[in-house]
């Protein structure tokens, strides 16, 4: 299998493969770019059908982290790791220890954290073998909730701040009375709904499971909507907070909202959907910019001298970054997702 000719290979600095037969570990770490600082990115454990599929994922995701860190004003680069295997079937403490050794072997060029299939407990096991495990310490919080290592509250606060900035820019109004449809009442979606409710927004919520929706109806006065109807609701704002590719060729024609601002990763099925949104006069908050609260949180938790206030202030910069993107997109007549990519590239191309 070739790495340098791989379609997802894009000047990655370092791609490492690791196998520990005794521990049952087959894993890949990809470090995309460290110009701004050491690479940070979660460890994903997934039953990839083969190592080629795992390589595709790790190359693509590590590059995405470089862009995310650059746009979040973090002195970090982008990296990612993947473990091949079903986390419910083959994960073991020995495997997590071996993964810790693998991360350690890169000598601090790459820090790992949580992703699908990897829990805080797994990271704690990795941390017995490596100093480069993030997401295990929780000392600061922007407000309210007791820190427990879960970055979702910070992600949700960042999405709230970003959604507010997008409404101000695109609809020229405050959140009071704005109608918002939220797809997904999970860790981030529910917390976003709470912030919006506190600022006078009218909420419409959907999930494929009833618990989160019932809670939002009872506690936040939200209106429950069927999952198949949430994206096409006649509302001001659509907030995708479930899975990726919510905005695709099938869903796009029915979208009536004039703002799309949500937490989900990879919301656009393809990059050129950005231009289609622009043509329809829909202002799109680039996903990796608006959902960076979690990575900002992980960064601050590792700092010796941060504070709740510093974390909060850093997350609030998401609103300013989005306004910078919208202004430039308007000046250049370009789609917001493209402008975000260009600004990120300008930032991380300069060696720190
Ligand atoms: P979660 O799993 O807690 O919540 C997702 C919710 O979406 C679940 O309740 C699920 O039942 C629901 N859902 C799935 N398919 C749906 C559908 N078709 N219609 C309606 N609801 C559906 O995940 P989360 O932590 O809240 O993350 C939400 C999104 O934000 C994900 O895309 C995630 O990658 C992204 N994100 C999360 C964080 C974080 O800190 N948790 C950070 C950055 C990005």
């Amino acid at each position: 299998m070739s790495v340098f000719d791989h379609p997802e290979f894009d000047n990655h600095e370092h791609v490492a493969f690791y196998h520990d037969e005794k521990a049952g570990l087959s894993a890949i770490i990809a470090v995309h770019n460290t110009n701004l600082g050491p690479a940070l990115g979660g460890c994903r454990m997934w039953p990839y059908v083969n190592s080629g599929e795992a390589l595709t994922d790790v190359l693509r995701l590590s590059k995405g982290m470089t862009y995310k860190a650059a746009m979040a004003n973090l002195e970090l680069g982008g990296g990612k790791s993947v473990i091949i295997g079903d986390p419910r079937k083959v994960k073991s403490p020995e495997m997590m220890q071996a993964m810790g050794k693998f991360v350690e072997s890169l000598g601090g060029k790459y820090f790992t954290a949580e992703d699908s299939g990897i829990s805080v407990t797994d990271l704690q096991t990795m941390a017995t073998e490596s100093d480069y495990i993030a997401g295990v310490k929780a000392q600061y919080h922007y407000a309210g909730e007791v820190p427990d290592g879960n970055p979702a509250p910070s992600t949700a606060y960042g999405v709230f701040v970003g959604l507010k900035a997008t409404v101000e820019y695109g609809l020229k109004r405050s959140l009071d009375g704005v109608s918002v449809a939220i797809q997904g009442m999970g860790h981030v979606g529910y917390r976003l709904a709470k912030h919006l409710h506190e600022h006078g927004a009218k909420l419409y919520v959907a999930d494929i499971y009833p618990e989160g929706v019932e809670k939002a109806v009872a506690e936040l006065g939200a209106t429950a909507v069927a999952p198949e109807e949430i994206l096409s609701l006649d509302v001001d704002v659509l907030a995708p907070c479930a899975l990726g590719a919510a905005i695709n060729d099938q869903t796009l024609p029915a979208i009536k909202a004039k703002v799309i601002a949500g937490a989900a990763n990879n919301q656009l099925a393809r990059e050129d959907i950005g231009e289609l949104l622009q043509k329809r006069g829909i202002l799109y908050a680039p996903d990796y910019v608006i959902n960076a609260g979690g990575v900002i949180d992980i960064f601050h938790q590792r700092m010796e001298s941060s504070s709740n206030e510093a974390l909060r202030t850093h997350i609030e910069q998401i609103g300013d970054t989005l306004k910078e993107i919208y202004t430039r997109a308007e000046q250049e007549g370009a789609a917001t997702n493209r402008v975000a990519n260009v600004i990120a590239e300008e930032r991380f191309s300069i060696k720190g």
Side-chain angles (χ1 to χ4, degrees), residues 145-199:
E145 291 182 50
V146 177
D148 67 352
N150 175 4
S154 289
T155 303
Y157 183 57
V159 175
F160 164 71
V161 168
L163 190 153
K164 184 166 165 283
T166 310
V167 165
E168 282 165 7
Y169 191 95
L171 306 181
K172 310 272 179 282
R173 59 182 289 189
S174 76
L175 286 176
D176 198 23
V178 161
S179 53
V180 185
I182 309 180
Q183 182 194 40
M185 279 289 100
H187 290 104
V188 179
Y190 183 81
R191 289 176 168 96
L192 169 65
K194 201 157 176 269
H195 287 299
L196 291 168
H197 173 67
E198 285 161 8
H199 285 76

Side-chain angles (χ1 to χ4, degrees), residues 45 50 109 117 143 166 181 183 203 205 208 218 220 230 258 291-292 299 304 306 309 352:
M45 183 164 182
N50 53 45
K109 186 182 257 199
T166 310
Q183 182 194 40
L203 302 174
V205 301
I208 48 173
L220 311 174
I230 193 79
K258 285 291 169 215
N291 73 16
F299 177 78
E304 295 304 330
S306 188
E309 199 42 46

